[in-house]
Amino acid sequence: MKHIIILGDGMADHPVERLGGKTLLQYADTPYMDMLAKNGRTGRLITIPEGFQPGSEVANTAILGYDLNEVYEGRGPLEAASIGYDMRADDMAMRCNIITLADGRIKNHHGGHLTTEQSDILIKYLDRQLGNEDIKFITGIQYRHLLIIRGGNKHIVCAPPHDHPEEEWRQLMVRPEHGWENRRDGDRMTAQQTADIINTLILKSQQLLEQHPFNKERAAQQKDAANSIWPWSGGYRPKMDTLQQMYPQIKEGDVISAVDLIRGIGRYAGLNRVTVEGMTGLADTNYENKAQAAIDMLRQHDFVYLHVEASDEAGHDGDLELKLKTIENLDRRIVKPVYEEVSTWTDTPVCIAILPDHPTPVELRIHVAEPVPFIIWHPGITPDGVETYDEVSCVSGSYGLLRLEEFMNKFMEL
């Protein structure tokens, strides 16, 4: 049996008064996910291990069956892998957002939804002005980029910008972990030295970006300025077994995502990174091309991890209508074509799983560490009586409440 996971990033939510007390999954029109829930088996999954922040890098790695206590090194190294930067042994890699600051606060975590082409101009400019043999800025996708600090110490406390909308940014600057202030990590610099370097880069970036012609033009158009970098989630080169080593059922597999983080996880997991024309990581992504790519890869290989970022971005923006639309788009433009195609493959049955990585409640605009609902369906599976796919119905699912790698272990048993 072949396997596909369809991951709606941040899709789960809380009850919303404007929706009559329903969650977005309860309120949205999702006939195909509901059909698969009715004809398959459901449950809930804890995707965030105790002691970890509810980030996508944590949740997606756990969903794929990894023990975070053994492999976790933060987002930076995973995104470096996706970008194609080969980390040295003494590198520390950090996710480096370009964000918007206004009135002393973080207005948004994405610089006004920059395109990759726009960001590339700014990142290369910052690298020329601030980079040297020990500091390097590397362009990623849209607002998501990379900062490399040679000899950097990962024992620092950073604030993910998407978790702190409208908060005062100066109170969120980098500091060393307690007890690491003057400690070195092997031959690396101290955590305090690392924090000082990053905070200096943040302040200098603001001075440079404010004067850049791009932001002067944005100001004239009354658009959000891309006026600060915000590095976070740093780490060293991780050591991970591939999925092929962990699950002998997987001879070859693929990851389909517009997000560097997910593509980086896929690279370390031994998956082929499939590039799809028109995928953006936002609500305007090309759902049809991603669905077709998943179908094509399943014809050739054993496993596909299809990741769609759109719901998470809408949740972070607090856009209720858009998040509802992204959920319905996932149902009609991803789940429907994938199911309708693979359900006809009698000689090569396909097992489908659908789930989010974490909730991104639209009224909170941040990730939360709460269980997420999931569906597993394959031809001939015995249904468990759950009629719809949502956070409430799946509480009654026959899988119950799974933890972390238990999901992948059960999924790959089928």
Side-chain angles (χ1 to χ4, degrees), residues 209-229:
L209 290 172
E210 182 181 6
Q211 300 302 318
H212 196 279
F214 175 81
N215 277 320
K216 290 184 176 181
E217 183 179 346
R218 297 272 279 205
Q221 298 172 352
Q222 297 185 324
K223 293 182 178 179
D224 287 342
N227 57 10
S228 183
I229 62 166

Side-chain angles (χ1 to χ4, degrees), residues 238-282:
K239 298 178 181 178
M240 294 170 56
D241 289 337
T242 66
L243 290 179
Q244 290 90 335
Q245 292 171 315
M246 297 165 63
Y247 303 101
Q249 306 93 320
I250 300 176
K251 303 297 187 294
E252 190 166 1
D254 309 274
V255 59
I256 302 170
S257 175
V259 178
D260 274 336
L261 162 67
I262 307 301
R263 292 168 62 82
I265 294 172
R267 179 182 177 187
Y268 281 115
L271 302 177
N272 304 310
R273 291 163 293 162
V274 179
T275 299
V276 176
E277 183 178 355
M279 63 181 183
T280 67
L282 299 171

Side-chain angles (χ1 to χ4, degrees), residues 190-413:
T190 68
Q192 184 65 64
Q193 289 172 323
T194 304
D196 290 343
I197 288 172
I198 298 167
N199 289 332
T200 298
L201 291 172
I202 291 172
L203 295 175
K204 286 184 176 180
S205 79
Q206 293 171 12
Q207 297 171 358
L208 291 166
L209 290 172
E210 182 181 6
Q211 300 302 318
H212 196 279
F214 175 81
N215 277 320
K216 290 184 176 181
E217 183 179 346
R218 297 272 279 205
Q221 298 172 352
Q222 297 185 324
K223 293 182 178 179
D224 287 342
N227 57 10
S228 183
I229 62 166
W230 200 265
W232 57 286
S233 198
Y236 314 147
R237 184 184 179 97
K239 298 178 181 178
M240 294 170 56
D241 289 337
T242 66
L243 290 179
Q244 290 90 335
Q245 292 171 315
M246 297 165 63
Y247 303 101
Q249 306 93 320
I250 300 176
K251 303 297 187 294
E252 190 166 1
D254 309 274
V255 59
I256 302 170
S257 175
V259 178
D260 274 336
L261 162 67
I262 307 301
R263 292 168 62 82
I265 294 172
R267 179 182 177 187
Y268 281 115
L271 302 177
N272 304 310
R273 291 163 293 162
V274 179
T275 299
V276 176
E277 183 178 355
M279 63 181 183
T280 67
L282 299 171
D284 63 353
T285 196
N286 193 318
Y287 292 88
E288 287 76 17
N289 280 4
K290 294 182 85 167
Q292 187 59 52
I295 293 167
D296 292 343
M297 291 303 99
L298 279 173
R299 286 197 178 100
Q300 303 173 46
H301 302 146
D302 312 293
F303 178 82
V304 171
Y305 196 74
L306 174 54
H307 171 270
V308 182
E309 176 76 1
S311 293
D312 187 60
E313 291 292 333
H316 285 308
D317 284 344
D319 193 328
L320 176 66
E321 288 73 21
L322 182 60
K323 187 171 180 183
L324 282 169
K325 182 179 178 181
T326 64
I327 292 171
E328 292 176 348
N329 279 337
L330 184 80
D331 186 75
R332 287 175 171 78
R333 301 168 67 183
I334 295 285
V335 178
K336 175 184 177 181
V338 169
Y339 167 76
E340 288 186 342
E341 174 63 32
V342 304
S343 62
T344 67
W345 297 1
T346 55
D347 293 336
T348 53
V350 176
C351 188
I352 300 173
I354 302 171
L355 75 165
D357 50 352
H358 51 68
T360 307
V362 73
E363 293 186 329
L364 296 180
R365 298 178 57 188
I366 62 173
H367 300 167
V368 295
E370 297 171 358
V372 298
F374 68 86
I375 307 165
I376 292 178
W377 173 91
H378 64 77
I381 192 171
T382 302
D384 60 11
V386 172
E387 296 286 324
T388 58
Y389 174 63
D390 57 68
E391 301 87 346
V392 177
S393 296
C394 289
V395 171
S396 303
S398 57
Y399 281 110
L401 181 64
L402 301 184
R403 292 184 55 83
L404 307 169
E405 62 268 20
E406 290 177 350
F407 168 81
M408 189 67 169
N409 291 338
K410 289 187 177 295
F411 186 52
M412 294 310 301
E413 286 174 357

Side-chain angles (χ1 to χ4, degrees), residues 147-196:
L147 170 63
I148 302 295
I149 300 177
R150 193 144 292 163
N153 188 319
K154 70 178 181 180
H155 296 283
I156 52 178
V157 179
C158 305
H162 55 267
D163 283 344
H164 299 275
E166 303 302 331
E167 294 187 31
E168 295 182 1
W169 65 268
R170 288 188 179 274
Q171 307 302 314
L172 301 170
M173 295 185 77
V174 182
R175 67 182 191 276
E177 290 180 4
H178 179 68
W180 278 89
E181 290 84 352
N182 298 307
R183 288 178 60 187
R184 295 178 177 272
D185 194 356
D187 295 331
R188 297 172 181 270
M189 67 183 76
T190 68
Q192 184 65 64
Q193 289 172 323
T194 304
D196 290 343

